[in-house]
């Protein structure tokens, strides 16, 4: 595994507090886009959340923002097929919830349409600072994840793996998945080396992820 110095994963108390303050503030849905033409003008730097359907993406966004139903969970039809834009802290950061992939229930035509818009967004959005690539801590990286990683390598967009549902994974399994993921990431040029381990259920790792994302925003909070 890529042996990272522990310090790179540690977060200073002041940074944790900055993250808490940003995420406790206002957060509003302001646009949904199924096509490139529907993409809203950027309101500020953007962080996108990507992952397979059911990985726990909506739950993570809700946990980060402390809202129960800001991002609709996958069993709620409607918003799940589009890119959803949330304004955090009045233009401080925009969170972009990308459609989940790897699940065939949407039908081929629809899947192709979102793939095209999502890919175009990931390739050509100057305001996109980082992609959080959510991966189920029980399963590790899947082929769909590798596709996105390759695309992001090519477009030089930094992405960070966030392991989800850590409460469902025992320590040995978690260590194994983390280490296999780190090994895979070391082969990708745009991959951020730090893997965050989270549970939306217990909130473990949520404060750290908030801090890390807040650190990407301009220093207004
Ligand atoms: P999405 O399709 O990626 O948006 O996934 P959801 O957020 O809708 O979550 C899919 C399922 O996983 C739901 O049944 C959630 O309750 C469950 N889930 C999500 N995050 C966690 C977590 O951290 N721990 C546990 N135990 N279950 C979770």
């Amino acid at each position: 595994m890529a042996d990272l110095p522990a310090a790179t994963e540690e977060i200073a108390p002041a940074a944790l507090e900055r993250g808490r303050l940003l995420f406790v503030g206002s957060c509003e849905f302001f646009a949904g886009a199924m096509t490139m033409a529907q993409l809203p003008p950027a309101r500020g730097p953007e962080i996108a959340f990507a992952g397979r359907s059911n990985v726990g993406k909506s739950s993570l966004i809700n946990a980060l923002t402390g809202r129960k139903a800001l991002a609709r969970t996958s069993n709620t039809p409607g918003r799940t097929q589009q890119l959803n834009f949330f304004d955090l802290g009045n233009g401080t950061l925009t969170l972009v919830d990308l459609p989940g992939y790897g699940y065939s229930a949407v039908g081929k035509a629809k899947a192709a349409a979102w793939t095209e818009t999502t890919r175009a967004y990931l390739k050509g959005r100057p305001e996109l600072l980082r992609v959080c690539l959510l991966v189920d801590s029980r399963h590790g990286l899947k082929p769909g994840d590798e596709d996105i990683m390759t695309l992001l390598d090519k477009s030089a967009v930094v992405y960070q793996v966030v392991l989800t549902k850590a409460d469902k994974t025992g320590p040995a399994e978690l260590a194994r998945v983390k280490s296999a993921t780190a090994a895979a990431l070391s082969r990708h040029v745009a991959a951020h080396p730090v893997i965050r381990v989270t549970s939306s259920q217990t909130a473990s790792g949520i404060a750290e992820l908030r801090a890390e994302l807040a650190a990407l925003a301009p220093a207004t909070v």
Side-chain angles (χ1 to χ4, degrees), residues 53-59 73-74 165 167-168 199-201:
S53 294
N54 222 39
V55 72
K57 189 159 51 62
S58 313
S59 303
T73 46
S74 40
K165 308 187 190 182
D167 60 285
K168 286 193 164 187
S199 164
S200 302
Q201 188 121 315

Side-chain angles (χ1 to χ4, degrees), residues 4 25 44 47 87 97 106 146 185 214:
L4 299 165
I47 310 275
D87 181 345
D97 183 6
V106 291
E146 298 277 358
L185 291 180

Side-chain angles (χ1 to χ4, degrees), residues 122 128 131 147-157 159 190:
L122 292 173
L128 180 59
V131 174
D147 289 348
I148 280 228
M149 287 159 68
T150 304
L151 175 105
L152 294 172
D153 286 334
K154 283 191 195 141
S155 15
V157 175
Y159 52 93

Side-chain angles (χ1 to χ4, degrees), residues 187-209:
R187 296 191 290 271
H188 288 270
V189 290
H192 191 288
V194 174
I195 298 169
R196 291 268 156 229
V197 179
T198 63
S199 164
S200 302
Q201 188 121 315
T202 67
S204 75
I206 298 295
E208 290 79 2
L209 185 57

